[in-house]
Amino acid sequence: MSIFNWFNKPKWQSPNEQVRLTAVQTDNDAALLDALPQIISSDSSIKVRKAALSRIDDTHQLHQIAEQNDQTEVKKLARKKWTHLMAKSKNTDAIKNLNDNEALLYLAGQSQHSKMRLQAVSQINQQGTLGDLLLNEKDREVQQAILEKITQESTLQRISKPLKKKNKSLYQSIQSRLNQGEDLNQNNSLALKICKQLEAVVHHKATCDLESISSQWQAIEKNCDATFKQRYNGAFAAAKMILDPEHRDSFLNKQKEQRAKSQLSEVINASDKLTDLDLSQIQSQLTKCQTIDTSVLSSEDKNQLSSAIDAFAAKRDEKMQQQQVPESATKAYDELQKVLAQEIVQPNQLKQFKTRWQQATRGAHPSSSLKLLSDQYDSGILKLAEKVEQSAQKRDEAAQQLIDMIDKAQTEIKDGHLSKAKIITNQMAALKRTAGFKHPLVQKNKYNIDNVWTQLKELRQWQKWSNDKVRQDIIDELVALVGTATHPDAVLKKLKDSNERWYALEDMEKLEGDKFPSRNQKMWQDFRTVSKALFEPTQPFFEKRSESQNSHLDEIKACIDEMLQVELESSNERDLARMTRNAIKHLKSLDQIPPKQRGQMAKKLRKGIDRIDGQLSTWYDAAETKKRALIDQAMALHDEEDLAAAIEQAKGLQAQWKKAGIVKQYTERKLWKQFRKANDALFNKRDDASKAQNEAQAAHKKAAQSALDKFNKDLKKTKDSNEIKQLKNNLIHTWQAEFQDIKQLSSNYQAALSSADDALNKQQSAKVLSSLDALKQFDVTCQSEDSDAIETALSTCSDSEKAAFLARKENVADDQHCDELLLQAEFLTGKETPKAHMEARMAYQVKVLSERMAGEKVAGESEQALALLKSWYLSAKSNSYIKNNKKRINSNIKALEALL
């Protein structure tokens, strides 16, 4: 593959998954559409495969994908899509060899054409499934076809009930089928049905649930004939071999193991009588040893077999040496036996072994042993010749397969599928060894075969170049972490992740059949160096944590030693119980010690707990007896007439309970519940006596609360200050006379009085604001200089307002006086003063502070605000002054009114 083609692939061949996915979903390139099956079979991303599958509507291609794809999820989707397309088709030939029960069930129930449903029904044998199909089928011909296939009586009975009203004719047909077997014995009939189901499985005509069959058989086995029992046992064993792969494999392995052990036993028995065997018998035993399958033998059996072979070989060599049989002859014979055990042999091996024997026996001293060995060797040569002829076809087939795989390997290499290409080349290498390096077809296509290996090597170099880029990224990521003060656990996790990614790349490059690992040593050293630079600063942290873990481990060991060494009989029961509780706590905190120690410490802790629990059980029994006696005494107190005396005795029993000893927790809870119940009955009697008193107190408290509620309600309705004072006085008198002892409502009582005071203050404030409002209105009237309106106001005002109104009428506008009033208002309310008047503001502040320091009495804020407002409304203002200071005037008036 050229570098230009490598970097200019179409988007659907991009190494980026998202790019490939988008291209497969949207592109309409002819090359892409042709490559959709290949993408579905070989793309590394399951998302891309699904996207490619969604664009295929050809039923033949979908069927192939469902049968051959290596991804289970893709196969299921392809089968589902194929099934939905077939449900609209009339091509019944396409499903004749279909073995997918789920697809057949869908077609039998959902297909649009009755012929397709008939074909699907003909391939379904599950009785329950057929019954469900019959309930929903509308076509009469299909109904009859389904009914003919239903042979199970329970299925016919199940579907007959809903069909009784739904389809009377079909119901009658089912009833006639059910009545045909009434003359048979019920048990034998069911036994016959079970046997037939199992035999149908054996003949590959149906399948069944073995567990259900077994349970049915167990229910009727006692009442069945011996003939049926024998028939069932044989059919069940055969069906289980077919339906249960694990059972089948286990059975075959067991048979193979038994055969191998039987052969081994014969060989070992023969080795025990080695001195009585002649050379031919020894040679026969050695041949038998070669036929034993050692893959199913245990290591001990293999050692026995090896010892027997060594013994036979030593004895054979001894006998042959006595008769001067060349050692090379025996070696040639042994090699011949090994070759005969191979599945395929090469033609040149026949000539090699003949030549080797001639060289080994040339000039050898003739003897009976040599003659025997020669006869056996000749027999082996004949077998080898037969095997050469028998394996000739296999060699030719292997050579042809090798040639056929060249194009497939080159295609995978061209598409960049290195792993698949390596698997194919490994298969080619195996086929080449099977066919023989000198096979005519192999020799003829030698250049093409070698070219596959050359192309594979180039592709692998490209992969390594790409992976080295990733390795460099891993190194750069670690370099960026050096000196960043990252938490040691995060550093350790990053190092672990980096190592996993690194080794994943190496595993990716380590293809099937590789003899040596492929590693870039320079980059590996760089990776180890930066890893070391990252890990070394974290070592103190892990050492400290290890020290903490070791400290906790020492605590656990101390607890274990204490439990294992304590003298049980002379120890206090509470001390022993404390030890077991501590041990249980340590069991729950084993994650705080080094992982390698957890299993061992858990085992020792449980051992210590079991040791102490044995002694505690004796004390537990004694304490339980004492506590049960205390429960009986507590129950007897129920008959005591003097309740106070009974309660005092119950308190004494409670004190004795604490000293009675300890029992197991679940027993303690059970006994304490009984003891407490007995005591609670006494205390409940005392509680009943005080209940009436509590109820009276509650009623008294309720009456007090009602009085408070009524006062608050009346206070809200009252607007007159005299009435408010009367309500307050009445509440004070009532409370002191009747409810003064109720301390819980004292705060509520004080709150009610405060509410009354607040209401009075509001009434007074309202009067003040009302008088101010009248003065304010007269100030506005005077400002308008309407003499008639002024006289009217003077004539209608009250006597209390008369003097103030006359003073305002005679007042003359004075801007300086107005500035002083505004400045005083700003000082009082804390508002800002314009810069032009700041000097006057400072002078006023000094004056006020000096008066306060001199001890002059100062009125409250509300009184000062009221005086300022009155002074303002009594002062005449020029229109120009009001216009220039309108915002300042309104702001100050609003602030002063807020203080009121």
Side-chain angles (χ1 to χ4, degrees):
M1 181 185 298
S2 69
I3 191 169
F4 178 83
N5 290 336
W6 179 266
F7 286 105
N8 289 276
K9 288 183 177 181
K11 290 184 178 180
W12 55 272
Q13 291 183 344
S14 170
N16 185 287
E17 178 188 4
Q18 189 59 43
V19 174
R20 296 201 311 277
L21 179 62
T22 304
V24 170
Q25 289 174 338
T26 59
D27 286 359
N28 292 315
D29 183 37
L32 168 61
L33 298 177
D34 293 338
L36 287 176
Q38 182 183 349
I39 294 172
I40 295 170
S41 65
S42 60
D43 196 277
S44 58
S45 171
I46 188 67
K47 294 181 181 179
V48 177
R49 291 191 180 194
K50 289 181 180 180
L53 179 63
S54 66
R55 301 193 66 178
I56 292 182
D57 292 320
D58 184 79
T59 56
H60 179 69
Q61 288 184 345
L62 289 171
H63 183 70
Q64 284 185 333
I65 294 168
E67 294 292 332
Q68 300 173 7
N69 199 275
D70 57 349
Q71 283 283 347
T72 304
E73 192 173 353
V74 174
K75 292 173 70 173
K76 288 182 178 180
L77 288 173
R79 176 62 73 196
K80 184 176 181 180
K81 189 171 184 180
W82 177 85
T83 305
H84 284 278
L85 290 174
M86 290 305 300
K88 302 175 182 178
S89 173
K90 295 182 179 180
N91 184 15
T92 58
D93 295 336
I95 68 166
K96 285 186 176 179
N97 297 320
L98 182 62
N99 295 321
D100 190 333
N101 290 330
E102 185 177 352
L104 288 172
L105 176 60
Y106 182 87
L107 292 172
Q110 304 295 330
S111 179
Q112 299 177 0
H113 305 284
S114 59
K115 290 185 178 180
M116 181 64 77
R117 297 201 300 276
L118 278 171
Q119 181 61 42
V121 166
S122 67
Q123 296 175 235
I124 297 175
N125 295 308
Q126 293 90 341
Q127 298 293 293
T129 302
L130 291 169
D132 294 336
L133 289 171
L134 184 58
L135 289 173
N136 298 315
E137 182 57 53
K138 304 297 183 183
D139 188 276
R140 187 168 183 78
E141 183 181 358
V142 181
Q143 287 178 351
Q144 292 300 320
I146 297 173
L147 183 59
E148 289 177 2
K149 294 210 67 176
I150 300 177
T151 58
Q152 189 168 302
E153 184 177 351
S154 60
T155 302
L156 292 171
Q157 290 175 347
R158 175 175 66 86
I159 63 176
S160 65
K161 293 180 181 179
L163 288 173
K164 187 173 183 180
K165 294 181 179 180
K166 186 177 179 181
N167 192 328
K168 291 185 178 181
S169 61
L170 190 57
Y171 172 76
Q172 292 175 356
S173 300
I174 293 173
Q175 291 300 315
S176 63
R177 290 281 300 276
L178 288 172
N179 294 332
Q180 289 177 0
E182 288 181 352
D183 298 333
L184 296 174
N185 178 274
Q186 186 175 3
N187 288 325
N188 287 342
S189 176
L190 183 56
L192 178 62
K193 189 179 299 181
I194 291 172
C195 292
K196 285 184 177 181
Q197 289 182 35
L198 293 172
E199 288 164 355
V201 173
V202 175
H203 296 299
H204 302 287
K205 294 181 179 179
T207 185
C208 67
D209 184 356
L210 291 178
E211 292 185 3
S212 175
I213 292 290
S214 178
S215 61
Q216 292 179 33
W217 177 258
Q218 290 175 2
I220 64 169
E221 183 179 7
K222 294 181 180 179
N223 301 321
C224 290
D225 298 338
T227 305
F228 277 117
K229 291 180 180 180
Q230 184 177 5
R231 181 176 176 180
Y232 168 80
N233 291 333
F236 186 84
K240 191 171 184 179
M241 289 285 288
I242 293 171
L243 297 178
D244 189 348
E246 292 183 2
H247 172 74
R248 179 172 64 250
D249 295 341
S250 175
F251 176 80
L252 294 176
N253 288 334
K254 190 173 181 180
Q255 292 292 320
K256 191 185 294 185
E257 183 180 351
Q258 289 177 351
R259 183 165 58 252
K261 285 189 174 183
S262 176
Q263 292 174 334
L264 176 62
S265 178
E266 293 177 3
V267 168
I268 292 174
N269 291 334
S271 66
D272 294 338
K273 303 175 183 178
L274 191 58
T275 55
D276 300 333
L277 300 179
D278 57 21
L279 186 60
S280 62
Q281 291 172 328
I282 293 173
Q283 198 66 42
S284 176
Q285 291 298 327
L286 281 170
T287 304
K288 187 179 292 186
C289 289
Q290 297 291 338
T291 62
I292 297 177
D293 186 358
T294 58
S295 63
V296 296
L297 294 178
S298 63
S299 57
E300 184 180 354
D301 291 339
K302 289 179 181 178
N303 292 334
Q304 290 181 349
L305 177 61
S306 179
S307 299
I309 291 173
D310 293 341
F312 285 130
K315 191 65 175 179
R316 182 196 64 183
D317 294 343
E318 179 185 346
K319 286 182 176 292
M320 288 189 172
Q321 190 174 7
Q322 290 174 357
Q323 298 188 20
Q324 298 181 354
V325 176
E327 183 180 358
S328 58
T330 58
K331 288 184 177 180
Y333 178 78
D334 291 340
E335 291 294 330
L336 178 60
Q337 294 301 318
K338 291 180 181 179
V339 170
L340 288 174
Q342 297 175 359
E343 185 178 357
I344 295 176
V345 294
Q346 301 297 331
N348 59 339
Q349 289 179 314
L350 184 61
K351 183 178 180 181
Q352 290 174 359
F353 277 105
K354 286 182 179 180
T355 304
R356 187 172 177 180
W357 180 258
Q358 292 174 358
Q359 292 174 351
T361 56
R362 185 180 294 127
H365 180 73
S367 63
S368 60
S369 296
L370 181 60
K371 185 176 184 307
L372 175 62
L373 186 62
S374 178
D375 293 341
Q376 292 177 342
Y377 194 88
D378 291 341
S379 176
I381 289 294
L382 292 175
K383 292 180 181 178
L384 181 62
E386 292 176 0
K387 199 153 194 174
V388 167
E389 293 179 1
Q390 292 172 359
S391 59
Q393 183 178 355
K394 293 182 179 179
R395 291 196 304 273
D396 293 339
E397 291 175 355
Q400 188 59 50
Q401 291 177 12
L402 172 63
I403 305 308
D404 294 340
M405 294 180 76
I406 292 174
D407 292 338
K408 186 178 179 181
Q410 289 178 337
T411 301
E412 296 294 347
I413 292 171
K414 183 178 179 181
D415 293 339
H417 302 153
L418 182 58
S419 298
K420 293 183 178 181
K422 187 64 169 66
I423 293 172
I424 295 173
T425 55
N426 292 339
Q427 295 172 355
M428 291 175 65
L431 291 171
K432 188 175 180 180
R433 288 192 296 272
T434 301
F437 297 101
K438 294 186 178 181
H439 192 281
L441 276 176
V442 175
Q443 291 291 323
K444 182 179 179 181
N445 293 275
K446 185 176 183 305
Y447 173 79
N448 293 333
I449 296 171
D450 293 342
N451 191 37
V452 170
W453 267 269
T454 302
Q455 294 177 5
L456 181 67
K457 183 178 179 181
E458 291 177 357
L459 178 59
R460 191 162 192 176
Q461 288 173 347
W462 273 109
Q463 184 208 45
K464 185 157 182 60
W465 176 82
S466 177
N467 287 347
D468 284 346
K469 296 290 185 183
V470 179
R471 290 188 179 94
Q472 188 60 49
D473 290 342
I474 295 173
I475 294 171
D476 293 342
E477 289 174 7
L478 295 181
V479 170
L481 274 180
V482 176
T484 57
T486 307
H487 192 278
D489 282 331
V491 171
L492 185 61
K493 185 178 184 302
K494 182 64 177 178
L495 287 174
K496 288 182 178 179
D497 292 342
S498 299
N499 274 275
E500 289 176 1
R501 291 168 60 191
W502 191 282
Y503 286 115
L505 292 173
E506 291 195 347
D507 290 340
M508 188 189 305
E509 293 174 350
K510 190 187 298 180
L511 301 177
E512 186 177 345
D514 284 352
K515 294 183 179 179
F516 305 103
S518 176
R519 173 175 285 179
N520 187 325
Q521 291 297 332
K522 181 181 181 303
M523 298 191 77
W524 170 253
Q525 290 301 326
D526 293 343
F527 177 67
R528 299 313 302 165
T529 301
V530 69
S531 297
K532 185 178 180 182
L534 264 178
F535 182 71
E536 283 181 349
T538 66
Q539 277 186 304
F541 170 82
F542 292 114
E543 289 173 358
K544 187 174 181 179
R545 185 163 70 182
S546 177
E547 182 180 346
S548 174
Q549 289 179 341
N550 291 333
S551 175
H552 191 64
L553 178 62
D554 292 339
E555 292 179 9
I556 294 176
K557 288 181 178 178
C559 177
I560 292 170
D561 293 339
E562 185 182 14
M563 288 192 298
L564 296 178
Q565 296 174 10
V566 66
E567 291 291 337
L568 298 178
E569 295 181 357
S570 61
S571 298
N572 182 276
E573 56 186 355
R574 295 192 180 277
D575 290 338
L576 294 180
R578 172 187 56 78
M579 293 180 192
T580 58
R581 288 196 300 271
N582 290 340
I584 292 171
K585 288 180 181 178
H586 288 315
L587 277 173
K588 294 178 180 179
S589 64
L590 287 177
D591 58 338
Q592 299 177 14
I593 66 174
K596 293 182 180 179
Q597 301 288 337
R598 292 172 188 170
Q600 185 180 5
M601 290 300 104
K603 185 176 180 181
K604 290 182 178 179
L605 284 170
R606 291 191 183 95
K607 182 180 178 182
I609 292 171
D610 293 341
R611 177 176 181 264
I612 292 176
D613 281 349
Q615 177 63 32
L616 284 175
S617 297
T618 304
W619 293 336
Y620 287 161
D621 294 341
E624 183 177 353
T625 302
K626 292 179 182 178
K627 292 190 174 184
R628 289 191 181 278
L630 292 174
I631 292 171
D632 294 338
Q633 294 178 39
M635 295 291 292
L637 291 176
H638 294 176
D639 301 329
E640 186 73 32
E641 294 182 359
D642 189 349
L643 181 59
I647 288 175
E648 289 301 320
Q649 293 181 49
K651 292 179 179 179
L653 293 177
Q654 289 177 347
Q656 293 179 43
W657 183 275
K658 296 178 181 179
K659 301 177 182 178
I662 59 174
V663 295
K664 292 182 178 179
Q665 288 187 356
Y666 70 89
T667 306
E668 174 69 24
R669 289 193 294 269
K670 178 181 176 183
L671 295 176
W672 172 250
K673 187 175 181 181
Q674 297 175 7
F675 182 67
R676 183 176 178 180
K677 183 178 180 181
N679 285 310
D680 286 347
L682 290 173
F683 292 114
N684 288 339
K685 289 182 180 179
R686 184 185 64 181
D687 294 341
D688 292 339
S690 61
K691 187 176 181 181
Q693 182 181 356
N694 293 336
E695 289 177 354
Q697 291 177 352
H700 187 51
K701 181 179 178 182
K702 186 176 180 180
Q705 185 64 51
S706 298
L708 290 174
D709 293 341
K710 184 177 184 303
F711 171 79
N712 291 326
K713 186 176 180 182
D714 293 341
L715 183 64
K716 291 179 180 179
K717 296 179 180 178
T718 303
K719 303 299 181 181
D720 185 67
S721 58
N722 292 328
E723 292 180 2
I724 293 174
K725 291 177 181 178
Q726 184 63 36
L727 284 173
K728 180 180 178 182
N729 292 333
N730 292 341
L731 176 64
I732 293 172
H733 177 73
T734 304
W735 191 267
Q736 290 178 350
E738 299 180 13
F739 308 121
Q740 195 169 5
D741 58 327
I742 304 176
K743 304 299 181 183
Q744 299 95 325
L745 297 179
S746 295
S747 59
N748 296 0
Y749 169 66
Q750 295 298 331
L753 295 180
S754 297
S755 298
D757 293 337
D758 292 341
L760 288 172
N761 291 333
K762 287 181 180 180
Q763 291 287 343
Q764 187 175 358
S765 297
K767 291 180 180 179
V768 171
L769 291 173
S770 177
S771 64
L772 277 177
D773 187 57
L775 186 57
K776 181 180 179 181
Q777 294 298 327
F778 186 70
D779 179 40
V780 173
T781 303
C782 292
Q783 194 69 34
S784 66
E785 299 180 353
D786 186 351
S787 57
D788 293 337
I790 293 172
E791 293 300 328
T792 302
L794 286 171
S795 62
T796 59
C797 68
S798 63
D799 294 338
S800 59
E801 296 171 345
K802 195 79 171 178
F805 277 28
L806 289 172
R808 172 65 184 89
K809 178 183 176 185
E810 300 299 331
N811 210 336
V812 180
D814 185 354
D815 293 347
Q816 184 177 359
H817 178 65
C818 292
D819 286 339
E820 290 176 358
L821 291 176
L822 291 176
L823 188 145
Q824 292 175 23
E826 288 165 350
F827 175 75
L828 179 63
T829 59
K831 300 182 70 64
E832 291 186 6
T833 300
K835 292 182 180 180
H837 302 279
M838 284 301 295
E839 186 175 350
R841 166 80 178 258
M842 295 299 295
Y844 178 75
Q845 287 182 190
V846 171
K847 177 185 176 184
V848 172
L849 291 174
S850 63
E851 289 175 352
R852 289 179 181 175
M853 292 177 67
E856 292 187 12
K857 188 176 180 180
V858 180
E861 289 184 348
S862 59
E863 294 175 358
Q864 293 182 53
L866 179 61
L868 285 171
L869 284 170
K870 283 184 177 181
S871 298
W872 178 261
Y873 294 141
L874 289 172
S875 301
K877 284 81 64 177
S878 64
N879 291 331
S880 61
Y881 184 85
I882 292 174
K883 183 177 180 181
N884 294 333
N885 296 278
K886 183 177 181 181
K887 186 175 182 181
R888 184 183 178 193
I889 292 168
N890 293 334
S891 176
N892 279 288
I893 290 174
K894 186 176 181 181
L896 290 171
E897 289 177 347
L899 289 177
L900 292 177

